Amino acid sequence: MRIVSVGECMVELSRASEGLWREAFAGDTFNTAWYLRASLPKGQIDYLTCLGRDPVSEDMLRFMQGAGIGTKAITRHPTRVPGLYMINLQNGERSFTYWRERSAARALAADPEHLEASFAEADLIYFSGITLAILTPNRRAVLLEALANAPGLVAFDSNMRPRLWSSQAEMCEWIQRGAAVADIALPSFDDEAQYFDDASVQDTARRYHEAGVAEVLVKNGGEAMLALDAKGDEQELTFGARLQPVDTTGAGDSFNGAYLAARMQGLDVPEAAQAGHRMASRVIMHQGALIPLQQL
Ligand SMILES: O=C(O)C(=O)C[C@H](O)[C@H](O)COP(=O)(O)O
């Protein structure tokens, strides 16, 4: 089993105490690779991005290798360096401040042949709306074409970050184009309601289905989720009361990692959603996106 996750990993700063910040490495698709790694001990989990040749890039590469995440699909940019973000918390809800406009990861789709070769033997490829947001329109199209031609399954989380796009219309257009190459979609209802005006989880699931996605699981911030399968059957899924979070960073990404690992091992959608929910419930009680692997 080989899974490739595609996107940007950054330096993550979360507050340790007044005036003191804790450094870690994270980024939505990397977080999902991390929780795939934790959930699929026998699988090969590769991360595809572009890093620089600076000391921070070297640290990040060693960190990934130390976690058992494959780095052979990572290219290196001669002058650019990794992006950085800070987590701002208000009652446990996260928001982010970014320094990533010229990060090396923006060059991840510079070489179509590299994408094709990296995807050729993957059973599953995972990407997100953030992966698309950091690319120029030409390179977005290159990535989407490589994904459309990939022999394995493709999974997508829209992960909408309007600040990374020039307009909401541009964001929504590319999210729909991302959905069109995906077999599995894992959107979050709050974002979809806000930017696509969906009135219900059913609206969200059906819109993805109409875009061509066979399996849709609409996450709903601890409320009832909705699963829509290839036959068009809908199922509401609820897993216990909503917890008071310490830091929600990485909740959706960790859900996706555990969900996809369960699906790739043959579990059905409700079982996989339960695994995703269990993982996300732990992540929101932890500061930052990643729980150390030895604690998982
Ligand atoms: O915003 C970005 O570009 C990042 O990659 C930073 C964060 O690590 C993820 O966004 C967390 O994602 P959630 O699971 O939605 O909390």
Side-chain angles (χ1 to χ4, degrees):
M1 169 90 56
R2 175 160 180 254
I3 302 180
V4 180
S5 183
V6 185
E8 175 167 24
C9 183
M10 294 170 282
V11 175
E12 176 193 80
L13 296 182
S14 60
R15 195 178 282 282
S17 60
E18 195 52 45
L20 197 61
W21 292 83
R22 180 187 299 113
E23 184 210 44
F25 298 118
D28 69 333
T29 49
F30 180 71
N31 306 341
T32 296
W34 182 268
Y35 292 102
L36 276 162
R37 170 75 290 154
S39 308
L40 265 183
K42 293 205 183 96
Q44 168 73 29
I45 315 295
D46 287 344
Y47 196 55
L48 190 155
T49 189
C50 181
L51 294 176
R53 298 199 172 278
D54 56 294
V56 177
S57 292
E58 297 297 340
D59 276 357
M60 199 182 277
L61 203 64
R62 269 195 298 274
F63 175 74
M64 292 175 180
Q65 289 162 348
I69 292 173
T71 57
K72 68 176 192 293
I74 295 181
T75 52
R76 310 296 286 272
H77 192 281
T79 52
R80 292 187 175 205
V81 300
L84 178 146
Y85 78 105
M86 257 182 193
I87 302 175
N88 318 296
L89 284 176
Q90 211 159 22
N91 300 325
E93 271 309 323
R94 88 282 186 275
S95 64
F96 307 122
T97 306
Y98 301 119
W99 292 264
R100 67 193 303 184
E101 291 74 17
R102 284 189 48 80
S103 63
R106 292 185 179 245
L108 70 82
D111 177 1
E113 282 171 20
H114 173 67
L115 295 178
E116 194 191 325
S118 304
F119 295 165
E121 280 169 13
D123 299 292
L124 175 73
I125 305 160
Y126 175 75
F127 77 115
S128 77
I130 299 177
T131 313
L132 294 177
I134 62 168
L135 304 177
T136 60
N138 283 344
R139 288 188 177 160
R140 278 177 209 144
V142 165
L143 175 64
L144 291 182
E145 195 185 331
L147 289 166
N149 294 333
L153 291 170
V154 174
F156 176 59
D157 183 340
S158 54
N159 252 345
M160 286 183 250
R161 299 284 186 274
R163 267 176 303 146
L164 300 181
W165 296 91
S166 61
S167 68
Q168 184 174 326
E170 186 198 36
M171 175 174 79
C172 291
E173 184 203 324
W174 283 97
I175 295 296
Q176 286 297 107
R177 290 174 70 169
V181 304
D183 304 287
I184 302 172
L186 300 164
S188 294
F189 180 62
D190 53 352
D191 282 350
E192 305 289 327
Q194 187 173 354
Y195 302 113
F196 281 96
D197 286 335
D198 294 341
S200 64
V201 283
Q202 282 79 9
D203 284 357
T204 301
R206 288 172 197 159
R207 185 166 45 75
Y208 277 90
H209 222 220
E210 277 157 27
V213 184
E215 177 176 321
V216 188
L217 196 278
V218 185
K219 292 168 283 179
N220 198 6
E223 307 293 324
M225 289 181 261
L226 188 79
L228 179 56
D229 68 17
K231 287 177 274 161
D233 291 337
E234 291 178 3
Q235 198 175 355
E236 273 205 12
L237 302 167
T238 331
F239 304 104
R242 205 189 161 120
L243 304 166
Q244 180 56 43
V246 171
D247 175 358
T248 57
T249 306
D253 309 330
S254 62
F255 179 98
N256 296 350
Y259 178 89
L260 292 170
R263 292 293 287 144
M264 295 308 281
Q265 287 175 301
L267 273 68
D268 65 20
V269 168
E271 288 167 335
Q274 168 101 62
H277 175 77
R278 214 180 296 126
M279 188 67 90
S281 304
R282 296 180 64 184
V283 172
I284 63 173
M285 304 314 275
H286 170 88
Q287 253 197 343
L290 304 182
I291 299 181
L293 286 178
Q294 58 279 17
Q295 289 174 29
L296 284 169

